Amino acid sequence: MRRRHFLGAGAAWAFSAGLPRAWAGAAPRVVVVGGGFGGATAARYLRLLDPSIDVTLVEPNDAFVSCPLSNLVLGGFRAMEDITRPYGGLAASGVRLVRDSAASIDVERKQVRLARGESLPFDRVVVAPGVDFMWQELPAMNDAEAQSTVLHAWKAGPQTARLRRQLEEMPDGGVFVISIPEAPLRCPPGPYERACQAAAYFRKSKRRSKVVIVDANEDVLSKGALFKRAWAELYPGLVEYQPNSKAIDVDVATKTVKLEFGDVKGDVINVLPPMKAGNIAAPFITANGRWCEVDWLTFESKAARGVHVLGDSLQIAPLMPKSATMANGQGKVCASAIVELLNDRPPNPSPTLLNTCYSMVSDRLSIHVASVHKYDDRERTMKPVPGAGGLSAAMNELEGEYAMSWARNIWADALGG
Ligand SMILES: Cc1cc2nc3c(=O)[nH]c(=O)nc-3n(C[C@H](O)[C@H](O)[C@H](O)COP(=O)(O)OP(=O)(O)OC[C@H]3O[C@@H](n4cnc5c(N)ncnc54)[C@H](O)[C@@H]3O)c2cc1C
């Protein structure tokens, strides 16, 4: 990590104060909250499309840690360094980096208030905080100690490394339980990929252990036939799949996932809580008390003018997954629309978004799903293009290589190298 590129909030404040252009309002100012796949892409593309815009990215982490490929860390086939990238490329693109969390967004005064107290003024703000968790749905988990014991590892970072350690420390013959909430969730295929990675580890190093998936949904959410074939052919007897098994609570002491019907006890339990828009996006939630609706041409919030929301915090359009590829594409469409709006021009009336999602079913074999989503003028939503996209015919090594280059490319595209 090239730390010198990452200014502390105070330093950024002092630095900004020395730039009258930014504060006198001569150059338009965009503040981006969240440096994940959506926010980092939007920040970088704003600068690429119009270098006169003053772009500030607020992100608490000093490096980017990728959720895609993080399941390979759990399998023991990649290290945390392999999925960690510096933010320096964004600084080189002219994005001002503020290492802090946004504490609130004042839409009236057009300011993002930082956790450490300062405020950043904006003409437009991009809110891309990913997901947060609905802990109240699992009462015993609504507690800091429980949350530090029963891990989700659904935000790549320290929890990924800790869940790997829990698997390493689990005795041979142990049971690893993965609990999946009802859709929609971040990365629908991700939990089943995780099951493959844990099974690959057990097949190699803990042959008497097994993975039990308790899924609140009625079937595997994505690439179902391909995952089931991988479990049957690569990991016979190692993966047990239970659909219609919604977790309603957790007994932390006994490592038991309490289900609507029956309980499942494990040696390591990995509970993915129901998800909602990241907390900082709460004022812009308009759908089911969970997600943020936007105008798909601009990603402007339906709740507030001048506020753009993207990535996993969104209320999805039909058949649109919450994925890194999606967040990356949304970041570009949003950046382009903001540039047009700031220059008093109409945004692209017909944007297209793509999704490609690879799942590693072993250390080398992969499968994918792809789709294309186009703006529908009449219904004012993004709709899948019939016949575009599809699924892998079968798992194979070439797709494994494509998966690795997909990751390298999207990291470079979002972060600028
Ligand atoms: C195990 C796993 C595997 C996955 N595999 C794939 C895959 O193979 N392909 C794929 O396409 N997708 C995959 N995904 C999904 C993908 O990671 C997400 O869809 C993507 O990260 C969404 O991007 P985002 O920008 O909305 O959120 P994120 O990438 O999570 O970024 C949000 C950022 O906002 C920051 N933030 C939050 N709150 C604040 C605040 N108040 N102030 C400042 N910053 C804040 C966070 O620190 C974070 O950096 C996977 C997810 C998981 C969990």
Side-chain angles (χ1 to χ4, degrees):
M1 172 63 198
R2 282 175 280 171
R3 272 169 199 273
R4 67 178 182 278
H5 288 303
F6 219 125
L7 300 176
W13 178 253
F15 179 46
S16 308
L19 283 178
R21 190 188 67 140
W23 300 96
R29 293 161 305 196
V30 179
V31 175
V32 180
V33 175
F37 281 97
T41 304
R44 178 159 178 265
Y45 273 79
L46 278 163
R47 291 288 305 173
L48 286 175
L49 294 170
D50 186 345
S52 77
I53 299 177
D54 202 308
V55 180
T56 303
L57 174 66
V58 182
E59 165 61 50
N61 295 325
D62 67 355
F64 174 95
V65 186
S66 174
C67 284
L69 302 195
S70 68
N71 283 328
L72 287 166
V73 175
L74 301 179
F77 304 111
R78 289 289 184 283
M80 288 303 289
E81 305 87 85
D82 300 323
I83 60 164
T84 304
R85 289 288 177 274
Y87 277 113
L90 286 179
S93 314
V95 175
R96 182 172 318 164
L97 302 166
V98 173
R99 190 177 164 202
D100 201 352
S101 289
S104 62
I105 298 171
D106 186 333
V107 177
E108 295 301 313
R109 294 171 65 196
K110 296 199 159 202
Q111 290 186 346
V112 171
R113 192 163 176 76
L114 299 175
R116 277 181 264 169
E118 299 93 349
S119 291
L120 300 173
F122 61 77
D123 295 298
R124 290 188 175 267
V125 63
V126 176
V127 184
V131 290
D132 270 302
F133 302 111
M134 301 166 73
W135 294 113
Q136 71 279 9
E137 302 285 313
L138 301 165
M141 290 301 297
N142 215 349
D143 165 86
E145 204 180 316
Q147 289 172 25
S148 70
T149 314
V150 176
L151 307 176
H152 52 75
W154 216 238
K155 296 184 182 192
Q159 286 220 357
T160 313
R162 287 181 49 218
L163 185 56
R164 169 65 190 167
R165 216 166 321 128
Q166 289 187 351
L167 290 177
E168 284 170 345
E169 287 164 4
M170 187 180 87
D172 193 5
V175 174
F176 175 46
V177 179
I178 303 175
S179 166
I180 306 173
E182 278 168 327
L185 66 149
R186 151 177 286 187
C187 195
Y192 315 102
E193 178 192 62
R194 179 168 287 183
C196 292
Q197 289 300 315
Y201 169 55
F202 296 160
R203 189 182 60 182
K204 206 168 111 207
S205 309
K206 290 191 167 122
R207 300 190 77 92
R208 294 187 300 119
S209 303
K210 70 173 180 177
V211 184
V212 175
I213 307 169
V214 286
D215 192 341
N217 301 286
E218 63 186 21
D219 205 347
V220 173
L221 291 170
S222 174
K223 308 175 213 173
L226 290 162
F227 275 119
K228 286 177 186 170
R229 195 165 152 201
W231 297 335
E233 290 180 9
L234 301 176
Y235 314 112
L238 281 175
V239 180
E240 195 181 303
Y241 179 67
Q242 290 186 27
N244 300 312
S245 300
K246 180 177 169 184
I248 51 168
D249 207 352
V250 173
D251 187 329
V252 179
T254 61
K255 296 181 185 155
T256 302
V257 182
K258 297 185 169 184
L259 304 171
E260 265 176 333
F261 309 104
D263 298 341
V264 174
K265 189 179 154 14
D267 296 277
V268 174
I269 59 175
N270 173 216
V271 177
L272 312 185
M275 297 166 206
K276 61 181 174 68
N279 290 334
I280 188 70
F284 316 114
I285 290 177
T286 51
N288 309 323
R290 289 172 77 178
W291 309 108
C292 306
E293 290 170 292
V294 292
D295 172 346
W296 292 103
L297 291 181
T298 57
F299 289 85
E300 192 162 31
S301 161
K302 290 201 171 169
R305 300 285 300 272
V307 177
H308 301 255
V309 184
L310 36 101
D312 285 353
S313 287
L314 290 180
Q315 164 74 351
I316 49 174
L319 299 175
M320 178 185 277
K322 293 183 183 292
S323 75
T325 316
M326 259 304 152
N328 173 254
Q330 291 164 355
K332 292 177 199 178
V333 173
C334 176
S336 156
I338 289 177
V339 166
E340 298 309 302
L341 293 170
L342 289 174
N343 286 290
D344 293 324
R345 296 186 301 248
N348 173 8
S350 180
T352 304
L353 294 168
L354 309 177
N355 186 57
T356 310
C357 178
Y358 291 96
S359 297
M360 295 298 295
V361 295
S362 76
D363 56 338
R364 285 171 301 117
L365 302 173
S366 185
I367 53 180
H368 83 270
V369 61
S371 53
V372 179
H373 304 251
K374 191 141 191 64
Y375 186 70
D376 183 295
D377 201 25
R378 269 185 312 113
E379 296 187 35
R380 298 185 171 198
T381 188
M382 303 296 297
K383 288 176 79 174
V385 177
L391 284 163
S392 314
M395 55 189 165
N396 64 58
E397 278 192 30
L398 184 59
E399 293 224 17
E401 286 170 31
Y402 290 160
M404 296 305 145
S405 32
W406 171 87
R408 283 192 299 272
N409 286 333
I410 197 167
W411 293 339
D413 191 44
L415 300 165

